[in-house]
Each structure stands twice: as C-alpha cells, then as structure tokens.
Amino acid sequence: MNWTLEVIPVPVTDMDRAKAFYTDRAGFKLDLDDEVAPGMRIIQLTPPGSRCSIAMLRGMPAFPGERTMSPGTLQGLQLCVTDIEAAREELAGRGVDVSPIRHVGATGWEEGKGDTWNSFMSFADPDGNGWVVQEAPSELSAR
C-alpha cells in the first residue's frame, strides 16, 4: 500500500490575500475554493508539477486530538526545482521577496550555488509561513 502525502494545511489570517499570493505570485494552481458547509471554507492550491497540494481552511473544527497552528508558524515546507536560477527569477519577477541562492559550505550557509542537491533559496507567504526551494538534479519521475 502506498502512503502518499497529498495535502498540507497552511494556517493563514486572510484567505483571500493568501490565495492571491499563492496564485498570482508563487504560481500555484487553484484547485478548489468552496464553502463546504455554512461558515466552512476550503481553498486548495497545488504547486506546478506537484502531486501534493496545500489547503487553507476557515471555520473547520480541528480533527479530534489535533492541535491547531497559528498563522505564520508553518516553516520549512520544501519545493524542488531542476533550475534554481530560473525559479528564483520567476518568483522575483512575480513580486515574491525571495532570498539569494545559498548552499551549505565550510562555514555554514554561503551565497551562490553549491554542488548537486546543495542549492537553496527561501520565501514566505504574507503570514510568514516559510518555504525552502532546493535544486534537484532531475525531475522526481526520473530519479
């Protein structure tokens, strides 16, 4: 049996502002924006080429035994791309405040590209939820 990671909840304060950021700036595809019951809204978006989506929820009760996250507390979500320079240029061109490309070197984080699997950049959504982008040597299907 496969266990596939398909949806990650992202806590935000303003769903419309977050939706605009993820579609217009980060380039995610809008899959769903629906009020599933009175006062319960779900917005689901998917990064280009990904099989895993993010979901922003309003008015939905927490699953029994689950703790809720405050907006901006989700950190380290990681996306992979095959061309980090092109990805950075695309995000910056869409108005995303994206970090310089960095790699782990002898003294810690250093600016510039590193070797295979060692090139990264980061950005945050309007609430401060943090994303890391890593350069991969090939598409997932080819690894």
Side-chain angles (χ1 to χ4, degrees):
M1 170 175 31
N2 292 331
W3 292 55
T4 59
L5 180 63
E6 298 195 13
V7 181
I8 298 171
V10 176
V12 299
T13 55
D14 181 327
M15 292 181 67
D16 291 316
R17 179 181 70 169
K19 175 183 168 183
F21 172 82
Y22 283 108
T23 57
D24 300 341
R25 299 210 176 179
F28 287 26
K29 178 184 170 280
L30 177 64
D31 302 319
L32 173 74
D33 183 351
D34 194 22
E35 186 173 61
V36 297
M40 295 182 192
R41 182 179 177 194
I42 298 174
I43 298 175
Q44 185 169 318
L45 306 114
T46 304
S50 180
R51 292 189 60 208
C52 185
S53 302
I54 63 169
M56 299 174 291
L57 312 168
R58 181 180 64 216
M60 296 198 50
F63 194 77
E66 183 181 74
R67 293 179 295 179
T68 58
M69 293 181 286
S70 297
T73 59
L74 190 59
Q75 300 296 311
L77 291 172
Q78 189 161 324
L79 300 167
C80 287
V81 297
T82 56
D83 184 340
I84 200 157
E85 286 110 339
R88 187 180 188 290
E89 187 175 306
E90 181 179 329
L91 287 173
R94 291 172 169 259
V96 175
D97 183 14
V98 61
S99 75
I101 296 169
R102 297 182 173 113
H103 67 279
V104 179
T107 61
W109 286 105
E110 299 176 2
E111 288 207 20
K113 281 187 71 169
D115 292 329
T116 304
W117 293 104
N118 191 15
S119 296
F120 302 85
M121 63 183 176
S122 62
F123 67 93
D125 73 10
D127 284 295
N129 293 302
W131 293 82
V132 174
V133 181
Q134 179 182 25
E135 186 175 72
S138 60
E139 293 289 342
L140 181 61
S141 61
R143 290 186 235 142

